[in-house]
Amino acid sequence: MLPDGVWSDWIRQNVLSVCAYGQTGSGKTYSVFGPPGVLTETELQRAQSEGKLVPDTWGIFPRVAIQLFNLPQVQSFQVSVIEVYQNRAFDLLDQHKVLSVGSTRSSGTDLGNGTFHPSGCYCRICHKIRHKQSNQPGRKAEAVLAKREVVKSAEDVARLARLVEISRIAKGHLLNARSSRSHCLIQIHLSLKQGGKVSEPTFLFVDLAGSERIKKSGVIGEASHEATRINSSLTVLGRVIQALANGVKHVPYRESTLTQILQPVFAGRVCASVIVNIASEQDHAEESLGSLRFAKRLTGVKVRESQVEACDPKAKREMIEKELVHARRQLEVMIQQGLGGGILPMADSIEKRSLEENLTKLSTMESHVMNIKMQLKEAHSLKPRSAQCHQLEEKLHKAKSHLEIAQGIVGRQKTIKRLWAEPTLACTKVRSQVQNLESMLAMH
């Protein structure tokens, strides 16, 4: 449990960020989530039977999540998870869908009177509006929109944390038996109701991939490329921190996907905390000193704290509904322009039906594999090891083989001419915006 003083300070903030930084194998994931295999309903039930709210082995994210969930003023509790791998962002709660990060081509111009002009329009009114927008100083950093999952119980927190543990990309090397090869960002979206007013604080937990020296970790091939990407993104993060600490005008957020996603945290009004993990062994003294120097630079960054603002729930709902109507109109225009992707209208009817059936089968198989992984993780928490583990491992191996075959078939079908087109990044972003606004509307 968190101390009352820390907790009361956190809950008053509009946005709170907790980030774990350190070299590979120093315990970042352990700090944020807990050791492997403990994020299960069995562990939760065992702790509750002993009169505890959460298991002692759980990390800061599930602990804070359950503590937040038990607040009497909580009206809605939603979670989104982003994985940054090889400098690309993926939605861990939406079948690893690629997320749009940064600016994309404009989807059109809203004239404000119920009409919407597409992005290709160069009429006098559209030109005037775009010119005015381009001259606005201090453009606000755009948030990356990922799917939100509704949490209704403490068991849901355990299941979601276990899903993240299973879905993240991890590999073993000489310094760490299970090294995370991606950065993970978990965001809790709350709706709190007090005295007829509604507030929406946000909690962000960041588990960064560990920096590593390839000579020490002994990785080769793809793992070596992953390590290079990880080190590169952490180097950019260091430059961003240095620029913020020195108060320079230009901050290099756009040099990596990770720093673009974190830009609203550094540039906005937040309460930010950092956990710096270091290895105690003498062999890692140089890396530990590097982590401590990073922590020292962080102390020079001045973030603007802001307390959570309450608003009228009716007015908030009306504002979200208005934004949702606008976003849906944008999406409709983009689909009409042929930017939405999917099976093309001119596709051969037989090929079209075959691809539709295979896409449905592929989605079912992906869900089946994930369910087996979840069951296997739960079964591993039982002691002594049960025969069910062996059965589930065989079942998982067989399901993965079938999934790989299905993925190959669908992949080949998508290469057939005039059958399939991928959606544009701009359209994907608008779809995510619609999905995000629908989730926000559900909170009210």
Side-chain angles (χ1 to χ4, degrees):
M1 299 291 290
L2 292 172
D4 291 339
V6 174
W7 185 252
S8 60
D9 182 55
W10 277 15
I11 199 64
R12 288 197 302 269
Q13 304 302 323
N14 186 39
V15 179
L16 180 129
S17 171
V18 178
C19 177
Y21 177 90
Q23 74 173 101
T24 182
S26 59
K28 298 177 300 302
T29 302
Y30 191 105
S31 299
V32 176
F33 293 99
V38 301
L39 297 168
T40 64
E41 286 90 333
T42 302
E43 287 287 332
L44 180 63
Q45 292 166 3
R46 187 179 295 135
Q48 291 175 342
S49 66
E50 297 171 357
K52 301 174 182 177
L53 187 62
V54 293
D56 295 334
T57 52
W58 282 15
I60 192 170
F61 159 65
R63 284 173 174 273
V64 171
I66 289 181
Q67 206 163 344
L68 284 171
F69 184 79
N70 283 275
L71 291 175
Q73 62 266 43
V74 171
Q75 299 295 301
S76 178
F77 190 116
Q78 298 178 348
V79 178
S80 58
V81 186
I82 298 173
E83 179 182 47
V84 179
Y85 174 69
Q86 302 267 27
N87 211 34
R88 300 179 72 191
F90 300 89
D91 190 339
L92 280 190
L93 300 184
D94 196 8
Q95 299 181 341
H96 267 86
K97 182 179 74 175
V98 179
L99 295 173
S100 175
V101 179
S103 60
T104 55
R105 184 171 70 88
S106 171
S107 56
T109 307
D110 186 5
L111 303 186
N113 57 357
T115 58
F116 187 83
H117 285 194
S119 58
C121 179
Y122 289 95
C123 71
R124 180 177 59 84
I125 299 174
C126 288
H127 176 76
K128 186 176 180 180
I129 292 175
R130 282 197 291 267
H131 179 72
K132 182 179 179 181
Q133 291 174 343
S134 65
N135 289 330
Q136 288 180 344
R139 290 180 61 188
K140 184 180 178 182
E142 294 186 37
V144 179
L145 304 177
K147 180 183 178 181
R148 295 185 181 187
E149 187 91 9
V150 177
V151 173
K152 297 181 179 179
S153 66
E155 286 74 20
D156 283 349
V157 173
R159 181 189 58 80
L160 191 140
R162 190 166 72 254
L163 176 65
V164 173
E165 182 184 12
I166 291 170
S167 303
R168 285 187 72 184
I169 298 171
K171 294 176 182 175
H173 54 66
L174 296 179
L175 301 179
N176 192 352
R178 193 177 190 277
S179 173
S180 299
R181 313 308 286 172
S182 64
H183 309 296
C184 182
L185 301 91
I186 305 178
Q187 200 159 14
I188 297 176
H189 311 267
L190 290 181
S191 177
L192 306 178
K193 190 172 184 180
Q194 282 183 310
K197 296 285 186 178
V198 173
S199 59
E200 297 178 352
T202 300
F203 288 71
L204 174 65
F205 300 86
V206 183
D207 178 18
L208 295 172
S211 59
E212 65 181 79
R213 296 197 172 189
I214 296 176
K215 183 182 287 188
K216 285 188 175 182
S217 62
V219 292
I220 58 174
E222 185 183 0
S224 175
H225 182 65
E226 290 170 344
T228 301
R229 286 279 191 168
I230 292 168
N231 291 338
S232 176
S233 64
L234 292 174
T235 298
V236 175
L237 177 61
R239 287 204 294 268
V240 167
I241 296 299
Q242 189 70 52
L244 291 170
N246 294 338
V248 300
K249 188 174 182 180
H250 173 70
V251 181
Y253 291 115
R254 296 181 63 83
E255 291 186 12
S256 83
T257 298
L258 174 66
T259 48
Q260 285 188 77
I261 296 174
L262 291 177
Q263 183 176 356
V265 175
F266 290 120
R269 295 183 176 273
V270 300
C271 175
S273 301
V274 178
I275 302 169
V276 178
N277 297 79
I278 61 173
S280 58
E281 294 86 357
Q282 181 65 33
D283 289 345
H284 305 304
E286 192 173 345
E287 290 86 348
S288 297
L289 284 172
S291 297
L292 292 172
R293 291 189 192 103
F294 178 83
K296 186 177 180 180
R297 288 199 299 272
L298 278 170
T299 60
V301 178
K302 304 297 182 184
V303 293
R304 299 170 296 167
E305 293 189 13
S306 69
Q307 292 194 355
V308 64
E309 297 178 0
C311 62
D312 178 63
K314 184 178 179 181
K316 181 71 173 180
R317 183 178 180 85
E318 289 175 353
M319 184 186 72
I320 296 172
E321 288 175 341
K322 184 178 179 180
E323 291 179 1
L324 182 57
V325 169
H326 172 64
R328 283 173 173 167
R329 192 187 308 142
Q330 280 184 303
L331 183 59
E332 183 180 352
V333 169
M334 298 186 82
I335 291 174
Q336 290 173 355
Q337 291 177 330
L339 305 176
I343 298 176
L344 300 175
M346 72 284 292
D348 178 79
S349 59
I350 297 176
E351 291 177 342
K352 178 181 177 181
R353 185 166 61 253
S354 174
L355 180 55
E356 287 174 343
E357 290 174 355
N358 287 333
L359 285 170
T360 302
K361 289 179 182 177
L362 180 60
S363 179
T364 303
M365 287 181 179
E366 288 173 339
S367 299
H368 181 55
V369 168
M370 186 57 65
N371 286 335
I372 297 174
K373 286 182 177 180
M374 297 282 279
Q375 293 173 28
L376 184 58
K377 207 71 174 178
E378 185 73 28
H380 279 153
S381 67
L382 300 175
K383 296 177 182 179
R385 182 183 170 92
S386 64
Q388 184 186 10
C389 290
H390 180 67
Q391 294 173 357
L392 287 171
E393 285 169 353
E394 290 184 344
K395 190 176 180 181
L396 179 61
H397 178 73
K398 187 176 180 180
K400 278 184 173 180
S401 299
H402 291 163
L403 178 60
E404 287 177 4
I405 294 171
Q407 288 172 335
I409 292 172
V410 170
R412 288 191 292 273
Q413 283 185 299
K414 286 183 178 181
T415 62
I416 298 174
K417 290 184 177 180
R418 295 186 294 276
L419 177 60
W420 176 268
E422 295 294 338
T424 64
L425 284 176
C427 187
T428 301
K429 196 167 189 175
V430 175
R431 273 204 179 102
S432 297
Q433 185 182 3
V434 169
Q435 189 180 61
N436 187 261
L437 289 168
E438 288 173 345
S439 296
M440 290 175 65
L441 195 61
M443 294 177 73
H444 297 272

